[in-house]
Structure formats: structure tokens, C-alpha cells
Amino acid sequence: MDIERGNIEIVFQKIPYMYVIKSQNELVDYCSYNKIAQDIYMRYSSEVFLHTTDDERRNNYLFMCNQMKIHTDWWKNDLNDNIGVFQLVFSLANKMLRLDGNEIKCKFEQLLRWREISLLMGQDFFTCAYLAFDDWKKGYNTQYFAWLPIIRSDDSRLHNILEQGVAENHFHLNGSTKIFELNWLCLMNHISGRNTEFRKITRTMQMQRNDSFDKRGEKESFYTECLRAALYRVYLFLLMKKNKYLFEKAEMLVGKVEKGISLCEITSDIQNLITMAKNLYGAKINDMVLDYALENKMMKWNDNDGRLLAGERKFLYCCYRYILTGQFDRRQKNIFYAYLIMRTDFRGELIQNNKKIGFANFSDYQDRKEYFIEGHKLYEEELVRLALNESLTKKNMLSLEARICPKNSSTKLIKSLKNYERIVKSEPVNNGYDKLIYVLHFPKLFDRPFTEGVPRNNNVRKMVTRQARSIVAMLDKNGEINQHIKGIDACSSEIACRPEVFGQVYRYLASKRVNIEHDICFHNYANAKNLQMTYHVGEDFFDITDGLRAIDEVLLFCNFRRGNRLGHALALGISPEKYYSMKGYKVVLSKQILLDDIAWIYCKSGKLGCLLEEKLKAELIEKYTSLYKEIYENNIRNGPCPSIHEYYQSWKLRGDNPQSYRLDEKEFKKVLKKTELVYFDRFRFNPRVDKRIRENKRYRELYYYYHFNKKVREKGNEIIEFKVTDEYIKLVRNMQDKMINELAYKGIGIETNPSSNYLIGTIRKYEEHPILRFNSRKLKEKNVGENICVSINTDDQGVFDTLLENEYALMTLALKKATDDDMNTLYDIEDIYEWIDYVRKMGINQIFS
């Protein structure tokens, strides 16, 4: 990590704001805007500069102290020289950003650095500082603050390529807006009565910063911290508005807090002050003021989709200007410094930047995206407006595939979609609605405890069945909105439930015959198209083999066909050598999953033509036999251990509806022969599995015990450690190659999401992204193996704070910087841009028509 970026992280994220507050009250420069105590710095720098000695970190501290003094030649001579930590921000912003007309852009060569630091602090933290300093130098006052939610790079060649047209094929609607900004604004303007929302935050996503060595560093409760931030914001705003009457009220409240009065005791006073500021200054949006800092006079220059962001940006801009011109005194500089720390702290609870990997970590962030907006209708609408309109109004956006959850009734689903339609069409000039595609995604949920007669994941099976029927009922109404519904998806944690749970629903909804429901003909049956299919798979797993098996299960159980897609599929392309090395050549998972994985990789590898070494073959058979006896034979006692091939045949039945396997043999065979059309039950058996497998009593029994035997379930849930050998790793790599070839042959595409995969998965560099293994055509003289149709997308662009163009740019720069072991450049720049254009075109080809 470079020193400047690390010091920004320490000063504005790691050091508790309470040090600044305590120093201010005690009138000592223990830790304030112009002096960071060395012992404080050293304590928190160890969390940032992980691989440095104490001596090296002391040098970093001295470097920071020196940088906080005015000495660089790009400052004007008359600059107020008492700006301390803010110079760190001005200096780094100047190195990373530049102004192109009215648009702030990131210098292309700084994009990876920008990505790392802006994810932590927020882009407005730097863009507003850069603009304030640039305007101050030029004697100019910017009026436009409603620029793009995420700024672009200044790579004009990349812009020109992408201007030819792009498709966004993986875009979760509720996770693709400015999550932090909207929650923050709603909270800063409606700070009272928030106990319920804050009670939902049961644990922090960042490392706890309470300092047991120094009571001055102890944090307040999260709600109290935000109360303080709301007070400081309105205080500084009224100071800059020069409203003597209201400022005196704010000054009085700040004074009370400094004297020790609890912020909770004056919550209503803070809210009343905010309300007065809203009534006096705030611009109305649909007859309501959403942010007092978005002033009436600002709307002349900022009335676009980014309007609600403009108020906070101008507030930050003006504070930075006051810092530069010396209009804030020492106390006010500390208040602004503390505000920035608290703002960053709150951001870290909503935007995934805590450097943990895995889907569970992401899911915790995902759950919080609307905590402080729920119930505030206009903020909810702005959430959708920012997510959809900003993207749809771009001329080069040819298609936007928004993922939304289906409802339990067609009425609720139609109402939800109509609301989105209203918001998108509300813009005076907007032809974007025709570009909007909906994919309805079923959330995966964790299983409930064993209940007699109930199969695995029955809670999800019942939920998705209801939701599938609501989708069909809506389609049967033949509304205009149906033209925008193109596909289905299964989202959320793969650890929760496997593709087998969704097999019947997928086959049901993806069949054209779904348009006959209750033997009533669909209104426009002749023109009906199959719903297309995609599936989040191979993103989060206990072992690469487990992720590969999940991908195979999607293809088999959900009856995937040419033109369908997989979301993420990281297990298919990450380096097994690096993955298992990182895991210490051990994986920890349940006995049932390991049993299934071993049977699958043993049998599937033979089917794909992989060479299985005799030593590894013997080890896998031995492990399979041991696990089978533990889980099944010792609990059901129905004869000797079946061969690994027999177990694999039984595994193929898992895409069937498990309730059918509770029937006795006579009834089962009768059901198996039924040919009459019974809408949903028609798809209870997977047509891609040979009927003879179902007719085998041993296979059926194994499948029955898998679902309905309590002892089998309990023993299978026990955790085991599995040691990975070199031979096993070679097999996994060979399996990946063969499955990539299989997907390419079958015409199955992959939706890649570079930043999402970087933050959730195990890759540590963008150039390690599996997209290069899926399809490296155009990048190498000789391409190895088949190429899968791939696309670049954003996933949850709000949670990951990204933009489609920046996903392309990050991959472009990563490839440009990539080197071999001898530090030789890996890729020619012309090949890189040709590859980017090629991926762009594949994204368009992936659009669900």
C-alpha cells in the first residue's frame, strides 16, 4: 500500500472521532485536525500497514507530518497554512483527479489507486475537495454538483469504444443505487425517532475501534454518533449561511454537548433545528424537502437524476473552501474533521469495504441497504430513480437487466413493476424505458431444522412455488409490462441451498407451455416466448469442487439450454493452486457435501475424459466408502455400500420433486407413467435424467434417505476437514478446463462482475479475474481451449460503489499493468483494447430477447 493512501485511511477512518472531540474540549492538540499524536498513529497504523516494522511506520508518520505542512509547489503562496489533515486530502485528490469541462474524471493511470481509497472514504470525499481547491485557485465558484454518481476515468479511447453501445446484464435493482448517500441524507434530515433502525445494526461490519488503553478513544453508541454528526452538519451549514439567529441556536446545542449533556436529551432540539433549516433553505422535490443542504437556488443548475446528491456535495465543497480561506476557526475545523470521520464510519456499515471475503459478509451489507430509508417514500423513489434513470438515459446503454425479487401474488408484483415504470417514465425527456429488462430472481434461504416428512429446504421450495405461480398469473394478464419480463434467476447465498431446490420451478417457468395454466389458454400463446434462465452459481463455496458441482447441477437440474447464462461462476476459473495454498491445503465442510463432491468429481471426471491417477482414484474411493458408512450405512442398514457410480446415479435424481419419492413403489410407478397435463406437477421429474434411473429401487431409496431420514441428515451435517493433495489439485484444474469447454460447446454464457468478485471472492488482483480464463481470445497469439461468451457487469453497483464503464476501465488498466515473473508486460495495449471491444460485443449478444 502506498503511504499517502494508507495515511488517509488511518487519519479519516481508523482513528476514532472521539479523540478529536476530547482534544477539542480539553484544548490540547492530542489528536486534532493539525496534530496527530504519534502513539495514536502507531496504534492504528498497524491495521493499515500490515507488513511493515515499527520503524517503517514511524517513518510513515514523519512523512505524514511533513506533508501536513505547506511545502508543495502547487499551492498558492497566500494559502492559509493551518489546514493540517485536510492537506492530505487536497494533495491526494490533486494527484488522482482532473477536471474536463464540468466533469471531474479520474486519471486513468490512477484508477486502481482511486478505486481502493474512494471505496473506503467515498468519492465525494475527494471530488468535492479537488473542486474546492481548483475553484479557489481560479477564483471561481462552482454551481453544478449533480454530476455522475460515480465518476469515470479520462481514458478517451475506452470511452469511444463503449460509446458504440453496452449492455448491463447483471444489475440488482435495490443494490445498484447510491446506498450510503441516500441513507445518510435521510438520516441527517430525519434524525429523531430512529431507535428501531439502529437496533437492527446488531454488530459492526468494521473492526471495533474502542480503545481499551485510552478512555478518550471510546466510541459512543452508533445512534449517538449519528446524532452528533447531524448536529455538526447543521451547525456548519448554518455557519456558512451566516444566519445569525439559527446559528446561535446551533452554537448553543454544540456548547451543551461540549459541557457533557447527552445528545439523546437534545434529539428533538437537533431535529427542530434541521426542520427550520429545511423550511428556510431546502428545495422541494414532489412538495417535500429531502435535504436542507439542497437549496432552492441550486435547482437551476442541478435539476437532474443526481439532484439529491448535490446538497451534500456542495456542503462538503463549501467546508473545504472555508478550510482553504481560513474562515473556519480551530474548533470548527475539528468539528468538520470529526464529521468526516463519522461520515466515513457510517459509510463502512453500508458499503462493503471491510476487506473480508465471502458471500456472508456481502449479504450482511446487502441486508442493510434500506434500513434508514424504509418508510420514507420519496427517498425510496429517489433510490430507484438513481439506480435506473441515470443508467437508462445514457445513449450507449442498449439494455439494462434489472434483477428484482418476485412477490407472493401477481397483484403485488404488478404494483411493484408499475411503480418502477412510473419513476422511469417521469423524466421529461426519457426514452430509456424500452431498454429496461426485468429478471425475477428467487432468493436462497437457509434450511430449517429437520421435521419428519419434510424434505431439505422445504421453506424455499414452498416460497418459490408460490412466487412462480404469481409470475405465471401476471403473465396471463397480458399486460404491456410483461414485454419487459425476460428471465428468471436464483440469487443470494449458495451455502444456503443448492440448485436442486429450484429445478422444478426453473423447468416450469422456462417452458413455453407454462402459458397454459389451469387448462386456460394464455391470451397471446402464439407469440409467447420462453423465459430465459440465469443462475448465481460458483460464487461462494466450501471447496472449488463444490462450486463446480453446483454449476453442473444448474445445467442438469434446471435444464439449461443454449443462450442461458451463469452468474459469476468463479469456481470455474480461479486458480486452484492459489486457492488451496491460501486455505493451507485443507478445506472444512460438512460430511454430506464432501461425500457428494467426491462421488461427483470421481464420476464426472471420467465422463469428461479427465485422467484420474490410480493413487488419487484409490484415495477417493476410500474416502467415499468411509463417509457413506458414517452417514448412511450405519443409520439405515439397507445393505452393503453402493458403488460410487451407483451413488452418483442416485445424485442425478435430486432435481426431481422429493415428495414423489415418499410414495410406495406401486404409487410411484403409477405417477411416473402419468402423461396428462397437470400444470406445475408436470415438471416434477427432470426429463434430462434417464427414466431407468428412477425405476431402480436402490437409487430411489438413497434419494429418499437423503431427504427424509433424520439420522442421515444429522450425521451428514457434521463438519469434517479434508486434506488436499497435489494430485487432487491437478484434477480440479483439469475439471475446470473440461467444463469450460463443455459450457462453450453448449452455448452457456457467464456474467462476470469484476469488482464484486474481487470483494467477495478470493482473487487479489483484477488481472487474476477468471474472465481471462473463460475467454482470452484477442489477448494471446495462441488461445488455449474453448472460449465462453462473457460479459462485464456491475452486480450491486451501489454496494460496491462502481459504474459499468469503470468495470471495463479497471480490467483495462489491470491488464495494462500485468507482468510475468520477470516483470515483462504480459499484454500488448492494442490487444487489450481489442479484447475490451470484443467483450463489449459479447455483452450485447447476451441480452435476453
Side-chain angles (χ1 to χ4, degrees), residues 599-709:
W600 176 83
I601 198 171
Y602 185 97
C603 297
K604 183 73 176 180
S605 62
K607 185 177 179 182
L608 292 176
C610 297
L611 177 64
L612 198 59
E613 297 180 14
E614 288 302 319
K615 179 186 175 185
L616 178 60
K617 188 183 292 188
E619 289 173 349
L620 291 177
I621 290 291
E622 182 182 358
K623 194 66 180 177
Y624 160 76
T625 304
S626 170
L627 286 168
Y628 180 84
K629 288 183 176 180
E630 279 192 66
I631 300 170
Y632 288 88
E633 189 173 301
N634 294 342
N635 292 307
I636 59 178
R637 306 189 184 282
N638 69 331
C641 174
S643 73
I644 196 167
H645 292 284
E646 289 179 308
Y647 187 88
Y648 177 70
Q649 294 296 88
S650 174
W651 165 83
K652 291 179 181 178
L653 298 177
R654 293 189 187 176
D656 292 353
N657 188 322
Q659 294 291 0
S660 300
Y661 290 79
R662 297 184 64 206
L663 303 171
D664 61 35
E665 188 167 1
K666 183 178 179 181
E667 281 298 311
F668 181 83
K669 288 183 177 180
K670 187 185 296 184
V671 169
L672 202 58
K673 293 177 180 178
K674 276 190 177 181
T675 57
E676 65 267 24
L677 297 178
V678 183
Y679 57 99
F680 186 69
D681 287 342
R682 185 171 58 247
F683 301 94
R684 60 188 157 190
F685 295 121
N686 183 2
R688 289 194 182 174
V689 173
D690 194 315
K691 186 188 258 188
R692 288 172 295 182
I693 295 176
R694 292 188 188 89
E695 292 172 346
N696 185 301
K697 184 178 179 181
R698 188 78 189 278
Y699 300 161
R700 293 201 310 271
E701 285 180 344
L702 281 173
Y703 181 48
Y704 171 82
Y705 293 132
Y706 168 76
H707 275 290
F708 299 108
N709 187 282

